[in-house]
């Protein structure tokens, strides 16, 4: 049985940033990273970007760390391994295969997994995009395909539709919702995105679901539940993430949709922290518990968790944001954009003029915003959220597209 001072479950940006930060603070303490992927740290962001997807850049640009980097930092990287049980009393992790590891400090940063279709599907022709291996499979499949169906109305679907069109495929998008991103965006915002998709040749099937797939050696048709048939030789499914929590619950760690944590990214059990997509933490800026799934947030949480693991006791405070661009349209989410009960939404701009913003208020403070083709407002809105600025009396100003939001910051 091996022992390690700092054990990190998850080799992505949160876990690797944590390991790097720990090594800066503790030059001698042993560090081990357990990753269920067969590859060292790479950029997940690049997986759905045109230059990588269309092989216009060197494949090596995907790597963010070299093999030698782990050796130089004296960080053990165990690839293709999954943690299956945790005994917090003994401070012991068991991996698939039976390996047991004793730790002093533990970071849970292993992220989520793609939600799989509950359909009988062929062994080839249906793809998900989460890992580097997934991306490689899709890149190879696209070279032989002519017609693709994309399932889902979120980030993966939005970006993959563009990649497939750039590759010359006919693309159909199937989504259950009335409009794109209906859980986060209003109808006007969704219509802007859909117009960009349709203008570039994507056919959209709204309020639709695939009921079954016909195939021989690979997919041939996607049959909607209303009986309509969509010929295709490639299907990409982007319907969200699942988080494996059973082994965490069995250990006595509190969970919700993810692993529950306080503002210091500590779980309810001593010497166990969490970071990244899996962390459902107390957000001091928003005043509520949230779970965020984006690269920058995961990186910064990994850093903060590491600092707290090495002796600091400082809360994680950051206004999360995510931006994506496809089909000539830029979409940004800042803070908490969920349209929950009790929140006020103020709109700015006009979709007909090419840009449109929604500012979400709670108790006279801005807590989030969605921006379409208006990235210039990302910085001032982030400041307004971060500084908890009361904007009571400025509602009319916020709705005025000519009003400079930065004047409220100073």
């Amino acid at each position: 049985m091996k022992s390690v001072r700092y054990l990190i479950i998850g080799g992505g940006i949160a876990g690797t940033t944590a390991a790097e930060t720990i090594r800066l603070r503790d030059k001698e303490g042993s560090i081990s990273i357990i990753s269920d992927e067969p590859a060292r740290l790479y950029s997940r962001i690049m997986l759905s970007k045109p230059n990588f997807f269309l092989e216009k850049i060197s494949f090596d640009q995907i790597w963010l760390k070299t093999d030698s980097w782990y050796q130089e930092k004296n960080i053990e990287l165990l690839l293709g391994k999954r943690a299956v049980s945790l005994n917090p009393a003994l401070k012991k992790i068991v991996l698939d295969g039976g390996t047991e590891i004793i730790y002093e400090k533990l970071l849970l940063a292993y992220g989520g997994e793609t939600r799989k279709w509950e359909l009988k599907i062929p062994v080839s022709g249906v793809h998900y995009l989460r890992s580097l291996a997934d991306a490689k499979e899709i890149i190879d499949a696209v070279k032989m395909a002519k017609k693709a169906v994309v399932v889902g109305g979120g980030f993966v679907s939005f970006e993959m539709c563009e990649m497939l069109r750039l590759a010359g495929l006919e693309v159909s998008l199937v989504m259950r919702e009335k409009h794109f991103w209906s859980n986060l965006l209003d109808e006007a915002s969704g219509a802007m995105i859909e117009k960009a998709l349709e203008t570039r040749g994507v056919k959209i099937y709204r309020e639709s679901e695939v009921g079954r797939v016909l195939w021989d050696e690979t997919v041939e048709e996607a049959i909607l539940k209303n009986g309509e048939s969509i010929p295709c030789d490639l299907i990409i499914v982007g319907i969200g993430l699942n988080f494996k929590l059973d082994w965490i619950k069995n250990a006595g760690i509190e969970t919700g949709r993810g692993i529950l944590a306080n503002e210091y990214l500590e779980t309810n059990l001593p010497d166990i922290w969490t970071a990244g997509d899996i962390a459902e933490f107390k957000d001091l800026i928003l005043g509520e518990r949230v779970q965020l799934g984006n690269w920058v947030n995961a990186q910064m949480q990994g850093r903060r968790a590491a600092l707290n693991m090495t002796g600091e006791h400082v809360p994680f405070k950051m206004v999360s944001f995510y931006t994506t661009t496809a089909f000539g349209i830029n979409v940004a989410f800042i803070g908490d954009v969920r349209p929950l009960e009790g929140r006020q939404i103020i709109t700015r701009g006009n979709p007909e003029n090419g840009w449109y913003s929604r500012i979400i208020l709670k108790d006279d403070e801005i807590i989030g915003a969605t921006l379409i083709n208006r990235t210039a407002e990302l910085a001032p809105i982030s400041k307004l959220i971060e500084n908890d600025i009361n904007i009571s009396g400025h509602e009319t100003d916020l709705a005025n597209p000519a009003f400079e939001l930065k004047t409220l910051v100073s």
Side-chain angles (χ1 to χ4, degrees):
M1 186 182 302
K2 64 182 297 182
S3 298
V4 61
R5 184 166 190 184
Y6 305 99
L7 180 60
I8 298 170
I9 309 299
I13 188 63
T16 306
T17 298
E20 185 173 22
T21 305
I22 289 170
R23 182 55 74 221
L24 291 173
R25 295 287 300 270
D26 185 339
K27 303 296 184 182
E28 304 298 330
S30 55
I31 305 172
S32 291
I33 298 175
I34 309 299
S35 176
D36 59 4
E37 289 204 52
R40 62 186 186 274
L41 180 65
Y42 59 87
S43 172
R44 288 192 190 275
I45 296 174
M46 286 182 62
L47 296 182
S48 59
K49 300 307 178 188
N51 285 342
F52 176 77
F53 188 83
L54 300 175
E55 300 181 289
K56 293 183 177 180
I57 60 173
S58 168
F59 180 83
D60 285 341
Q61 291 190 38
I62 196 77
W63 304 114
L64 297 180
K65 299 296 183 186
T66 62
D67 286 328
S68 61
W69 179 86
Y70 295 90
Q71 298 170 2
E72 292 164 2
K73 301 297 182 183
N74 193 23
I75 296 171
E76 180 184 41
L77 177 63
L78 299 178
L79 297 174
K81 301 291 183 180
R82 185 186 294 271
V84 294
S85 71
L86 163 63
N87 186 325
L90 299 178
K91 290 192 168 184
K92 181 175 72 174
I93 284 279
V94 179
L95 307 182
D96 54 352
T99 300
E100 299 181 346
I101 304 175
I102 299 296
Y103 65 86
E104 292 183 31
K105 309 280 181 75
L106 174 66
L107 176 63
L108 300 170
Y110 59 90
E113 298 182 347
T114 50
R115 183 176 297 156
K116 304 299 184 182
W117 244 359
E118 295 181 358
L119 288 178
K120 183 180 180 181
I121 57 176
V123 294
S124 66
V126 177
H127 301 270
Y128 304 85
L129 180 61
R130 179 65 176 170
S131 68
L132 181 56
D134 295 335
K136 287 180 177 178
E137 289 182 2
I138 295 173
I139 289 171
D140 289 340
V142 164
K143 295 173 182 176
M144 305 297 292
K146 295 181 179 180
K147 298 180 180 181
V149 168
V150 178
V151 179
F155 286 108
V156 170
S157 301
F158 181 55
E159 295 176 347
M160 287 310 304
C161 280
E162 183 185 47
M163 298 305 101
L164 295 168
R165 287 297 295 142
L166 289 173
L169 276 66
E170 293 182 24
V171 179
S172 298
L173 172 65
V174 178
M175 60 185 189
R176 292 187 299 178
E177 301 79 12
K178 290 183 179 180
H179 65 265
F180 207 88
W181 262 316
S182 63
N183 62 322
L184 298 177
L185 298 178
D186 63 3
E187 190 172 350
S189 303
M192 291 182 72
I193 295 172
E194 291 170 26
K195 181 179 178 181
L197 289 164
E198 291 176 324
T199 299
R200 302 317 199 277
V202 177
K203 184 174 182 179
I204 301 177
Y205 294 81
R206 299 168 181 83
E207 297 183 85
S208 299
E209 289 186 64
V210 176
R212 58 195 179 101
V213 175
L214 302 184
W215 74 88
D216 188 358
E217 293 182 356
T218 187
V219 296
E220 295 180 347
E221 291 180 71
I223 310 297
L224 303 184
K225 288 187 175 180
N226 65 7
E228 192 169 357
S229 172
I230 308 175
C232 59
D233 42 24
L234 174 66
I235 298 176
I236 297 178
V237 182
I239 53 176
L241 298 177
N242 285 324
F243 298 93
K244 288 188 175 295
L245 297 172
D246 287 347
W247 69 287
I248 295 296
K249 293 178 184 178
N250 291 339
I253 295 178
E254 295 178 353
T255 63
R257 181 172 182 264
I259 297 173
L260 299 186
N262 62 16
E263 62 270 34
Y264 303 98
L265 302 176
E266 300 167 319
T267 70
N268 62 302
L269 298 183
D271 295 325
I272 302 178
W273 290 257
T274 185
D277 294 0
I278 196 78
E280 190 175 346
F281 68 102
K282 182 179 179 182
D283 191 312
L284 294 180
I285 295 175
L286 300 177
E288 56 190 39
R289 197 183 297 275
V290 298
Q291 186 175 8
L292 302 168
N294 68 68
W295 184 268
V296 175
N297 178 77
Q299 184 177 34
M300 293 299 100
Q301 281 194 355
R303 181 178 185 275
R304 173 44 54 199
L307 292 171
N308 290 342
M309 291 169 74
T310 54
E312 289 191 7
H313 195 60
V314 177
F316 174 75
K317 289 186 69 175
M318 174 184 167
V319 179
S320 178
F321 67 91
Y322 184 90
T323 63
T324 183
T325 301
F327 297 111
I329 189 170
N330 181 275
V331 183
F333 295 87
I334 314 166
D336 188 349
V337 300
R338 295 173 297 170
L340 302 179
E341 185 178 351
R343 297 181 177 183
Q344 180 184 0
I345 299 177
I346 297 176
T347 61
R348 286 167 59 82
N350 189 324
E352 294 181 2
N353 295 332
W355 73 271
Y356 183 66
S357 302
R358 297 162 65 245
I359 299 175
I360 295 92
L361 308 179
K362 178 183 178 183
D363 299 329
D364 295 324
E365 292 182 357
I366 298 174
I367 62 169
T370 63
L371 313 176
I372 298 181
N373 292 337
R374 198 66 171 178
T375 52
E377 292 185 343
L378 195 154
I381 290 176
S382 295
K383 285 293 183 183
L384 289 167
I385 297 173
E386 181 179 6
N387 296 332
D388 297 324
I389 294 176
N390 189 302
I391 52 80
S392 179
H394 290 283
E395 289 85 355
T396 303
D397 292 330
L398 293 177
N400 179 3
F403 179 75
E404 292 286 347
L405 296 177
K406 63 184 179 182
T407 61
L408 295 175
V409 179
S410 56

